[in-house]
Amino acid sequence: MNIFQQLFKSLYSPKDIASTRFQGIEKTILYVFLLTLVSVIPTVSYVSSAINNGIETAAHTVDKELPDFSIENGELSADQEEPIYIEDADFTIIFDSTGEVSETDLEGYQNAFALLQNEFVLIAGGTLDTYDYSTLTDLTITKDSILEVIHSVDGLLAVIIPVLALTIYIFSSGIKFIEITILALFGLFIKNVTSRNLPYRQLWRLSAYSVTLPTIFFTIMEAFQTNVPNGFLINWFVSIIMLYLTVREIPQKAKK
């Protein structure tokens, strides 16, 4: 079987998984990388889309919805009489050069960015971080300079997104190899209970294919942005069951 046939049959056939215990370790490692590649496609897609949309939204907001301003000598200056609140479904931008809005007024927000009179505030997941303009010594920031930075970042997305995707893939591959290694340790117990003569290296190969079903299932759920309750436990339960059924397909060791 080629590697794609193995991926398909590993979704439902413990018997076919059992046959992989004699194959070369290089092919098994290649399979793990392929399985990981498939599993990160939804994540990379959503992250890329979020970055692109975020850049576009930021450029539009600064250009069309904020007045001309400058940050100089530790203070935000703009021609406005009252604070500006720009609210999206999951994010809020506050612009206030009047001094009316203070840090304490922002404590109820979950995700927000605020340019205040003497500081800018970033709120992520309800955690609030404050940065004083006074730290920007000898630096003047204007609306035009921020737009230039946004457009520069937009121009670099062709590099940023692939690097980010590669980082996600490498990290996910490491996690997958650790998961398989731990599952193979469970396999030592399974092979003793079922009286099968399997060295650890073969159990590792079997474990690599046994994680296929839960991995593809959670990849599909991620693609549809569907949250699975107790996903961590379900993942391990299905993996262990698949490994158990696979080990059962292997002939028992002869009794003396």
Side-chain angles (χ1 to χ4, degrees), residues 10-73:
S10 295
L11 292 171
Y12 65 88
S13 177
K15 183 176 181 180
D16 285 295
I17 294 176
S19 68
T20 65
R21 67 189 185 278
F22 297 119
Q23 74 176 20
I25 189 64
E26 298 84 0
K27 187 175 182 180
T28 305
I29 291 174
L30 179 61
Y31 179 84
V32 176
F33 280 121
L34 173 65
L35 185 62
T36 305
L37 179 63
V38 172
S39 72
V40 300
I41 288 175
T43 301
V44 170
S45 176
Y46 286 126
V47 169
S48 301
S49 178
I51 292 174
N52 278 299
N53 292 338
I55 293 295
E56 291 177 6
T57 301
H60 178 271
T61 299
V62 173
D63 188 29
K64 303 297 184 183
E65 301 190 44
L66 297 184
D68 290 334
F69 65 88
S70 65
I71 300 174
E72 190 174 7
N73 299 322

Side-chain angles (χ1 to χ4, degrees), residues 9-239:
K9 291 193 174 183
S10 295
L11 292 171
Y12 65 88
S13 177
K15 183 176 181 180
D16 285 295
I17 294 176
S19 68
T20 65
R21 67 189 185 278
F22 297 119
Q23 74 176 20
I25 189 64
E26 298 84 0
K27 187 175 182 180
T28 305
I29 291 174
L30 179 61
Y31 179 84
V32 176
F33 280 121
L34 173 65
L35 185 62
T36 305
L37 179 63
V38 172
S39 72
V40 300
I41 288 175
T43 301
V44 170
S45 176
Y46 286 126
V47 169
S48 301
S49 178
I51 292 174
N52 278 299
N53 292 338
I55 293 295
E56 291 177 6
T57 301
H60 178 271
T61 299
V62 173
D63 188 29
K64 303 297 184 183
E65 301 190 44
L66 297 184
D68 290 334
F69 65 88
S70 65
I71 300 174
E72 190 174 7
N73 299 322
E75 186 172 336
L76 172 65
S77 301
D79 183 16
Q80 69 173 143
E81 296 180 356
E82 60 183 19
I84 297 173
Y85 293 85
I86 303 169
E87 297 187 359
D88 199 354
D90 301 314
F91 199 82
T92 303
I93 297 175
I94 301 107
F95 183 89
D96 177 38
S97 63
T98 66
E100 183 176 327
V101 179
S102 65
E103 182 182 333
T104 55
D105 296 324
L106 305 176
E107 292 179 352
Y109 290 92
Q110 285 296 308
N111 299 287
F113 178 76
L115 284 170
L116 305 183
Q117 189 176 43
N118 301 111
E119 60 195 358
F120 68 88
V121 181
L122 177 64
I123 305 173
T127 302
L128 187 147
D129 294 302
T130 304
Y131 306 89
D132 290 333
Y133 299 140
S134 58
T135 59
L136 307 173
T137 55
D138 300 325
L139 181 63
T140 300
I141 298 176
T142 64
K143 177 177 177 176
D144 290 337
S145 65
I146 289 181
L147 283 172
E148 287 178 7
V149 171
I150 292 174
H151 291 315
S152 297
V153 172
D154 188 31
L156 291 172
L157 287 183
V159 176
I160 294 173
I161 290 178
V163 170
L164 183 59
L166 181 60
T167 301
I168 292 172
Y169 176 60
I170 292 173
F171 178 78
S172 299
S173 296
I175 295 296
K176 186 60 67 179
F177 276 102
I178 293 172
E179 177 186 347
I180 291 167
T181 300
I182 295 174
L183 182 61
L185 293 175
F186 280 103
L188 293 173
F189 173 75
I190 294 172
K191 67 112 174 180
N192 289 331
V193 170
T194 57
S195 300
R196 263 62 176 184
N197 186 21
L198 288 167
Y200 180 81
R201 63 181 181 276
Q202 291 186 3
L203 286 168
W204 197 93
R205 292 180 176 90
L206 298 178
S207 298
Y209 291 92
S210 296
V211 300
T212 303
L213 177 58
T215 299
I216 296 301
F217 170 76
F218 284 104
T219 299
I220 294 172
M221 293 299 101
E222 178 70 19
F224 287 101
Q225 293 186 296
T226 302
N227 181 47
V228 180
N230 301 313
F232 178 82
L233 296 177
I234 293 173
N235 175 70
W236 279 102
F237 176 77
V238 175
S239 296

